[in-house]
Amino acid sequence: LKQQFSRTRPTPIEAEPLALMASKILALTGLAPVAAIVLHTNTGYNFGSSKCPCVGFSGLEGSTTVRLNATVSAEYPANFAAYCEAWDNGRNNVSCQEGQSPGKDQGWCAEAWCYVDPCNCELDEPATKVPEDGGYMPHASYQGRGMWYSYKTCGGKDYWMTPEKKKELQAVPKNCSKKVDEKTWGSEKCRCIGYDGAPGRTNVSIGGAEVPYPAEAGASCEA
């Protein structure tokens, strides 16, 4: 069975704005000169409702190791949950492949969702918190608030979690008024984006060569 709780994305800003933001952030963290590094971005993604946009880097190459349960993990794309997609469909090898329950193209496997910023989500259905001790990326966090997700912003329905558990996790304090540590998460006018603590690797282009970086690159201020 799929774990009952999980999930975690920064607001991907489309096309050139995303690339520009990524360059600024990576320059701030000292990863590489702005002109020399390319994060693979793309247009055509659905970033959810403007009232609750998805967060994270879209268009990344590489993989993220996702924990499906206590003993099983799977490789998902490096841009996992950064935009609206049925991320589990065909990828979750416990519940979302042919012959499994609910199975590929069925139930929650076929529903689109993404990670969101709980402090920038004004839908009639609040963002849902990923528990500290559970989730696809147990040690990941967005700007120090943990990971939050939404099916609603993508037009999907959350068949995955029980209504009772979802209501409980939606009521978790978001700490939006808490001052963010700018040394860790960047200036208020230009916050870092990405999932801090996300496992896996992503590829960046430096001087024309593909170089593997941690999947969490750009999620916090770091050399």
Side-chain angles (χ1 to χ4, degrees):
L1 294 177
K2 180 174 181 181
Q3 198 173 355
Q4 192 180 24
F5 34 73
S6 173
R7 308 302 160 95
T8 328
R9 168 191 197 221
T11 303
I13 307 151
E14 314 184 38
E16 188 202 347
L18 173 59
L20 179 59
M21 179 71 77
S23 297
K24 288 181 178 179
I25 292 166
L26 292 172
L28 194 64
T29 61
L31 288 177
V34 176
I37 190 166
V38 176
L39 281 175
H40 303 279
T41 60
N42 205 331
T43 59
Y45 296 118
N46 174 11
F47 295 122
S49 168
S50 60
K51 294 182 178 180
C52 187
C54 303
V55 296
F57 286 115
S58 67
L60 296 181
E61 296 181 357
S63 64
T64 295
T65 304
V66 165
R67 189 184 75 169
L68 302 179
N69 58 38
T71 60
V72 180
S73 297
E75 295 299 306
Y76 277 48
N79 55 6
F80 169 56
Y83 53 90
C84 293
E85 184 172 304
W87 292 99
D88 298 294
N89 205 31
R91 294 189 179 105
N92 184 314
N93 56 21
V94 173
S95 302
C96 296
Q97 295 184 355
E98 296 290 348
Q100 297 177 335
S101 179
K104 187 177 181 181
D105 299 326
Q106 303 297 319
W108 55 262
C109 295
E111 294 295 316
W113 64 277
C114 68
Y115 288 127
V116 298
D117 179 352
C119 299
N120 186 30
C121 188
E122 302 298 329
L123 300 176
D124 55 5
E125 180 179 302
T128 303
K129 176 75 165 59
V130 176
E132 299 297 334
D133 60 349
Y136 279 3
M137 300 187 291
H139 305 294
S141 179
Y142 176 65
Q143 296 184 1
R145 296 191 178 94
M147 297 302 293
W148 299 71
Y149 72 92
S150 175
Y151 282 87
K152 180 75 172 181
T153 193
C154 296
K157 293 185 178 181
D158 190 355
Y159 299 121
W160 172 61
M161 185 176 289
T162 66
E164 296 77 18
K165 188 64 180 180
K166 182 167 67 172
K167 185 176 181 180
E168 174 189 330
L169 293 172
Q170 288 174 342
V172 172
K174 300 174 177 60
N175 299 319
C176 298
S177 61
K178 182 179 179 181
K179 184 174 177 59
V180 174
D181 181 2
E182 294 193 350
K183 291 183 178 180
T184 301
W185 308 112
S187 167
E188 182 179 359
K189 295 182 179 180
C190 186
R191 291 273 190 247
C192 300
I193 60 175
Y195 316 140
D196 188 56
R201 311 290 290 180
T202 187
N203 298 328
V204 298
S205 296
I206 301 178
E210 293 288 318
V211 180
Y213 271 64
E216 64 178 351
S220 61
C221 295
E222 183 177 327

